[in-house]
C-alpha cells in the first residue's frame, strides 16, 4: 500500500473518529437528561407532569422516524446556522448529534426503566429528595446498562457518519464512496471497510468490558 | 398511660374503588415489638407504606410522635422519613455501592460529616455482625448477610421506629432465626420500637409480643398470641394463620373422631397453657386421681415471644372422664373440645 493511500486512510479515520465521538458526546449530554425527564414524568414517576412528558416523547419519536439521509438534507440550514457551514467534518456533527440525541434518549430510557423500583422506594423512605434519587439511584444503578446503550450509539454513529460523507463530511465513508464507487478502486474500499470493522470491534469490546466491570 | 409513638386512626384506603384498608385504628408505644400478620392481599404492605409516610391514606390519620403524617407537606415528610427505618423483603440494596456506602446513604442524605458517617458505619457493621464486610458489594453476600446490611442501613440514622416488611420471607430458616435474634437484640439494646409485617405466624410467634391481624383490609385482632391460642377457636378468621404453628390432629384420630359423645368414648381436647408450670403434671395426676387413660396426641411446649406456652391435643378415656375434664379446665388457660372417639371393645 502506498504511503499516500495510507495517509489518506489515516486522515479519514481521524475524521470519522471525530464525528463519532463528538456527536455521541452531544447525544449523551442531551439524550441522558431527556431520558431521565421521560422516566421521572412518566406514570408512577417522581414528578407528575404527564403532559409535558408525553410531548417530549412524541418529539423524540418523530425525530427518530426521519431517515438519517433525509435529516442530513433537511438540517442543512440549521447546520449552516450552528456550524457556519454545511460542509465538512465539523458541520456533519450537527445532524449526527440531532439524530443521535433521540436515539440515545430512547435507549437510555429503557436502561433507566430497568432500575428496580424497590430501590427508589428505599431511598425515598430514607428521606432522599427526588434529586438524590436521580443522582444516587437511577443513574448509578442503570450505569452498566447505560454504557451498553452508549456502545450501541457509538456504533450507530460510525455507520451514520459514513452516510454523512455524502454531503462532503469527509471520513471513511466519504473515502470509500469516492475511491471505491466512483473510481473503481476496490482495494481502498476494502481497506476502509476493514478499518470500519476494526473500529466497531474495538468499541464493542471496550463497551462490554466496561459494562462487566461496572456490574460488580 | 404513656403517649403512643405511633397511632393509626380510622385509616381507610381504596385502590380504584376496591377497599384495601377499612377503618384501621391502633396505637403503639415506645419500645413495643409488634407483628402485623395477614394473608396475601390483606393490606399489610399498604398499611406499612402509610406508616412510613411513603404514601397517604384517603381517609384517617397516622400520628408519629403526635405529628399527623397525612397533613404534612412533602418537604416535611422527607424530613420525617429520615426518622423511620425500613427493612424490605428483597433487601433493596444499591448494587452500585459497597456495603459501607449503602449503610452510609441515610447519613449522607441527612448531611452528616464524612468522619461521623465512617464511624457510624463501622459501629453498625459490628452490631449486625458484618465487621470487615464494608468494602464488599451486595452481590457478593448471601441473602441473610444482605438483610443484615438492610437492617444496618435502616438503623443508620438512629430512627425512632423500625418497620420491616416481610424481612425474613426471602430467607432460609437458619438466616430467619439469626435475623429475628438480631432484631430482638436491637429492641432490647436500643429500646427501639419495631413493627414487623409477615404472613408467617412462626415469625410472629418467636418475635412479637403483640399481634395485629389483618384480614381483607380489616383489623380483626389486636392482642398477644397467647390470647389468640387460648380463645378456643372462636375467631375463625385467625385459624388458618394459626394452623401453621399449632399441633395438628393426627390423621387416624381425625378419621375416627365424631361430634357426639357415646358411652366409653375418649374425649379429644385442645389445651393451651402458659405461665407458671407450663406443662401441668396432669398426665400423671389424671391417671392417678381419676384412673384414666390419658394420652398426649400431639404438641408440647413452644416458646412464644420468649414465654413458654403449652399447646397440645390430648385424649382422655375412662369411667371418671368428665370429672377429669373439669379438673383440667380449672388447671389450664384454655380448653377446647374437638370431638370424641367412640369405644370399640
Ligand atoms: N398500587 C396499587 N394499586 C392497586 N391496587 C393495589 C396497589 N397496592 C396494593 N393493591 C391492592 O391492595 C390489596 C392489599 O395489598 P397489599 O400489598 O397491602 O397486601 P399484602 O397484605 O402486603 O399482601 P402480600 O402478603 O402478598 O404482600 C391487594 O388486593 C392489592 O391488589
Ligand atoms: Mg406485602
Amino acid at each position: 500500500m502506498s504511503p499516500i493511500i495510507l495517509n489518506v486512510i489515516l486522515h479519514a479515520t481521524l475524521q470519522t473518529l471525530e464525528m463519532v465521538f463528538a456527536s455521541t458526546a452531544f447525544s449523551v449530554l442531551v439524550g441522558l437528561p431527556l431520558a431521565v425527564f421521560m422516566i421521572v414524568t412518566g406514570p408512577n414517576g417522581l414528578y407528575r407532569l404527564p403532559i409535558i412528558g408525553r410531548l417530549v416523547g412524541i418529539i423524540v419519536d418523530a425525530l427518530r422516524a426521519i431517515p438519517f439521509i433525509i435529516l442530513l438534507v433537511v438540517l442543512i440550514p440549521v447546520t449552516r446556522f450552528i456550524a457556519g457551514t454545511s460542509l465538512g467534518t465539523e458541520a456533519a456533527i450537527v445532524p449526527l448529534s440531532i439524530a443521535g440525541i433521540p436515539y440515545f434518549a430512547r435507549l437510555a430510557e429503557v436502561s433507566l426503566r430497568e432500575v428496580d423500583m424497590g430501590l427508589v422506594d428505599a431511598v425515598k423512605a430514607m428521606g432522599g429528595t427526588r434529586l438524590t434519587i436521580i443522582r444516587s439511584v437511577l443513574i448509578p444503578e442503570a450505569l452498566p446498562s447505560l454504557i451498553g446503550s452508549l456502545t450501541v450509539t457509538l456504533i450507530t454513529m460510525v455507520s451514520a457518519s459514513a452516510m454523512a460523507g455524502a454531503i462532503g463530511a469527509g471520513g471513511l465513508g466519504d473515502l470509500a464512496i469516492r475511491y471505491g464507487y466512483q473510481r473503481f478502486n476496490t482495494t481502498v474500499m476494502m481497506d476502509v471497510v476493514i478499518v470500519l470493522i476494526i473500529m466497531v470491534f474495538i468499541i464493542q469490546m471496550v463497551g462490554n468490558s466496561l459494562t462487566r466491570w461496572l456490574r460488580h | 398511660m404513656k403517649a403512643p409513638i405511633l397511632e393509626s386512626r380510622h385509616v381507610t384506603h381504596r385502590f380504584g374503588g376496591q377497599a384495601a384498608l377499612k377503618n384501621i385504628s391502633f396505637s403503639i408505644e415506645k419500645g413495643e415489638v409488634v407483628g402485623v400478620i395477614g394473608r396475601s392481599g390483606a393490606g399489610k404492605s399498604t398499611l406499612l407504606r402509610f406508616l412510613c409516610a411513603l404514601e397517604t391514606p384517603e381517609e384517617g390519620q397516622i400520628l408519629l410522635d403526635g405529628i399527623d403524617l397525612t397533613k404534612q407537606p412533602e418537604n416535611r415528610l422527607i424530613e420525617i422519613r429520615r426518622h423511620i427505618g425500613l427493612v424490605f423483603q428483597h433487601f433493596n440494596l444499591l448494587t452500585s455501592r459497597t456495603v459501607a456506602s449503602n449503610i452510609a446513604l441515610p447519613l449522607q442524605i441527612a448531611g452528616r460529616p464524612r468522619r461521623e458517617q465512617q464511624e457510624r458505619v463501622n459501629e453498625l457493621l459490628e452490631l449486625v455482625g458484618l465487621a470487615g464486610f464494608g468494602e464488599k458489594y451486595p452481590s457478593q453476600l448471601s441473602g441473610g448477610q444482605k438483610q443484615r446490611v438492610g437492617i444496618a442501613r435502616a438503623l443508620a440514622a438512629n430512627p425512632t421506629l423500625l418497620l420491616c416488611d416481610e424481612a425474613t420471607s426471602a430467607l432460609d430458616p437458619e438466616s430467619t432465626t439469626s435475623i429475628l435474634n438480631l432484631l430482638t437484640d436491637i429492641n432490647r439494646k436500643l429500646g427501639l420500637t419495631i413493627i414487623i409485617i409477615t404472613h408467617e405466624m412462626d415469625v410472629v410467634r418467636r418475635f412479637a409480643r403483640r399481634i395485629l391481624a389483618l384480614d381483607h383490609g380489616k383489623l380483626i385482632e389486636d392482642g398477644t398470641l397467647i390470647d389468640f391460642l387460648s380463645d378456643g377457636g372462636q375467631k375463625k378468621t385467625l385459624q388458618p394463620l394459626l394452623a401453621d404453628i399449632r399441633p395438628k390432629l393426627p390423621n387416624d384420630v381425625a378419621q375416627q373422631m365424631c361430634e357426639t359423645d357415646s358411652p366409653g368414648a375418649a374425649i379429644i381436647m385442645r389445651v393451651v397453657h402458659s405461665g407458671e408450670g407450663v406443662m401441668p403434671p396432669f398426665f400423671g395426676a389424671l391417671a392417678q386421681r381419676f384412673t384414666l387413660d390419658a394420652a398426649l396426641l400431639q404438641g408440647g411446649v413452644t416458646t412464644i415471644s420468649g414465654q413458654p406456652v403449652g399447646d397440645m391435643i390430648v385424649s382422655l378415656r375412662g369411667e371418671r372422664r368428665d370429672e377429669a375434664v373439669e379438673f383440667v379446665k380449672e388447671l389450664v388457660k384454655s380448653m377446647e373440645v374437638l370431638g370424641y372417639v367412640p369405644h370399640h371393645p
Side-chain angles (χ1 to χ4, degrees):
Chain A
M1 201 189 296
S2 78
I4 300 173
I5 296 288
L6 201 66
N7 202 27
V8 168
I9 291 180
L10 189 68
H11 185 67
T13 305
L14 289 177
Q15 284 179 325
T16 294
L17 287 176
E18 184 188 348
M19 284 188 278
V20 167
F21 281 94
S23 55
T24 304
F26 285 118
S27 305
V28 173
L29 233 54
V30 183
L32 185 59
L34 275 181
V36 170
F37 186 82
M38 289 191 286
I39 288 290
V40 298
T41 56
N44 306 320
L46 296 169
Y47 298 82
R48 300 217 166 109
L49 301 166
I51 295 173
I52 339 192
R54 183 78 58 79
L55 202 68
V56 169
I58 289 171
I59 294 169
V60 162
D61 287 338
L63 272 175
R64 286 191 50 199
I66 304 171
F68 182 60
I69 200 84
I70 294 173
L71 203 62
L72 270 179
V73 178
V74 172
L75 286 177
I76 284 175
V78 179
T79 305
R80 196 172 287 139
F81 177 76
I82 295 175
T85 168
S86 62
L87 288 175
T89 307
E90 272 86 36
I93 292 171
V94 176
L96 281 171
S97 302
I98 290 175
I101 289 166
Y103 187 78
F104 183 75
R106 275 298 183 206
L107 288 179
E109 188 199 0
V110 173
S111 303
L112 291 167
R113 203 178 290 289
E114 280 165 11
V115 173
D116 183 358
M117 283 313 285
L119 301 181
V120 172
D121 264 355
V123 176
K124 203 170 166 189
M126 284 173 208
T129 59
R130 293 184 280 202
L131 210 60
T132 309
I133 293 169
I134 293 170
R135 273 207 322 241
S136 59
V137 183
L138 285 182
I139 294 178
E141 289 296 315
L143 196 60
S145 170
L146 284 172
I147 296 294
S149 309
L150 175 69
T151 310
V152 174
T153 307
L154 278 169
I155 290 169
T156 305
M157 287 298 126
V158 170
S159 60
S161 73
M163 250 188 274
I167 61 154
L172 291 166
D174 192 25
L175 195 64
I177 289 170
R178 273 193 286 128
Y179 279 77
Y181 183 67
Q182 290 163 359
R183 297 188 203 168
F184 303 105
N185 186 339
T186 34
T187 341
V188 172
M189 195 172 75
M190 285 316 289
D191 290 343
V192 166
V193 170
I194 288 168
V195 173
L196 284 172
I197 290 174
I198 293 171
M199 200 181 281
V200 168
F201 266 40
I202 292 175
I203 292 171
Q204 189 67 53
M205 224 170 58
V206 172
N208 286 352
S209 32
L210 202 57
T211 304
R212 212 170 314 120
W213 180 71
L214 283 170
R215 276 201 205 279
H216 304 296
Chain B
M1 205 187 94
K2 278 190 290 179
I5 188 167
L6 183 69
E7 211 178 331
S8 167
R9 287 189 188 158
H10 310 292
V11 167
T12 295
H13 193 79
R14 276 167 288 263
F15 286 113
Q18 183 92 5
L21 290 177
K22 298 171 203 155
N23 198 15
I24 306 284
S25 296
F26 59 85
S27 86
I28 290 172
E29 277 174 35
K30 186 167 163 34
E32 267 195 286
V33 175
V34 179
V36 177
I37 191 155
R39 279 176 287 182
S40 184
K44 307 181 295 292
S45 299
T46 308
L47 178 64
L48 180 104
R49 293 178 73 82
F50 297 150
L51 298 182
C52 67
L54 270 179
E55 264 146 64
T56 308
E58 287 176 341
E59 286 167 43
Q61 293 149 297
I62 305 280
L63 282 87
L64 180 68
D65 267 333
I67 298 167
D68 186 355
L69 302 185
T70 60
K71 303 241 166 15
Q72 306 301 317
E74 177 67 17
N75 57 351
R76 269 295 288 144
L77 286 180
I78 285 175
E79 175 56 36
I80 288 167
R81 287 184 199 125
R82 294 179 185 170
H83 304 290
I84 304 171
L86 203 51
V87 179
F88 299 86
Q89 177 174 5
H90 298 292
F91 327 123
N92 293 356
L93 302 175
L94 299 178
T95 59
S96 55
R97 289 174 166 245
T98 60
V99 164
S101 143
N102 262 288
I103 299 174
L105 189 56
L107 301 167
Q108 212 175 309
I109 285 172
R112 305 280 178 79
R114 197 161 273 269
R115 273 285 299 273
E116 192 192 318
Q117 289 182 25
Q118 263 168 21
E119 278 166 26
R120 182 84 181 121
V121 166
N122 289 334
E123 215 175 283
L124 287 160
L125 283 172
E126 194 80 39
L127 177 73
V128 300
L130 284 180
F133 281 71
E135 292 316 305
K136 286 196 189 298
Y137 281 91
S139 59
Q140 297 167 296
L141 304 183
S142 72
Q145 290 169 334
K146 283 183 195 164
Q147 197 56 295
R148 285 165 183 274
V149 178
I151 291 170
R153 181 179 67 177
L155 295 175
N158 288 311
T160 50
L161 181 67
L162 186 67
L163 301 173
C164 311
D165 192 359
E166 304 276 6
T168 58
S169 302
L171 303 177
D172 60 64
E174 209 172 306
S175 314
T176 298
T177 303
S178 79
I179 291 292
L180 291 179
N181 289 342
L182 174 64
L183 289 172
T184 306
D185 231 37
I186 287 166
N187 167 259
R188 217 171 285 148
K189 271 194 213 151
L190 312 177
L192 191 62
T193 314
I194 304 182
I195 300 180
I196 184 161
I197 284 187
T198 180
H199 62 267
E200 293 166 301
M201 203 46 143
D202 192 47
V203 167
V204 172
R205 170 180 74 78
R206 292 194 285 178
F207 182 67
R209 259 152 262 163
R210 176 175 162 202
I211 301 176
L212 301 175
L214 282 181
D215 190 59
H216 292 98
K218 278 203 285 247
L219 183 63
I220 54 167
E221 217 50 68
D222 179 353
T224 67
L225 185 51
I226 299 165
D227 293 343
F228 297 174
L229 290 179
S230 43
D231 87 345
Q234 319 256 309
K235 310 261 165 57
K236 285 278 176 277
T237 36
L238 265 180
Q239 295 311 314
L241 289 170
L242 288 171
D244 284 351
I245 59 159
R246 304 205 78 171
K248 284 168 201 60
L249 199 60
N251 265 338
D252 56 326
V253 179
Q255 276 164 14
Q256 294 173 42
M257 203 170 73
C258 51
E259 281 182 19
T260 49
D261 200 358
S262 52
I267 185 167
I268 310 293
M269 310 185 297
R270 191 186 277 283
V271 173
V272 177
H273 192 67
S274 69
E276 294 282 303
V278 168
M279 189 70 135
F282 59 64
F283 288 105
L286 287 174
Q288 276 181 8
R289 277 179 69 167
F290 305 101
T291 48
L292 275 179
D293 196 0
L296 172 65
L297 297 180
Q298 200 67 258
V301 181
T302 48
T303 310
I304 293 173
S305 52
Q307 242 196 92
V309 173
D311 187 4
M312 50 210 137
I313 297 175
V314 298
S315 146
L316 303 179
R317 188 196 299 274
E319 288 281 307
R320 298 167 64 196
R321 189 198 75 190
D322 293 342
E323 277 174 70
V325 170
E326 284 309 309
F327 173 76
V328 172
K329 207 178 210 164
E330 289 298 305
L331 211 60
V332 301
K333 183 146 180 151
S334 95
M335 202 189 80
E336 175 195 355
V337 176
L338 300 175
Y340 303 89
V341 174
H343 183 58
H344 301 289

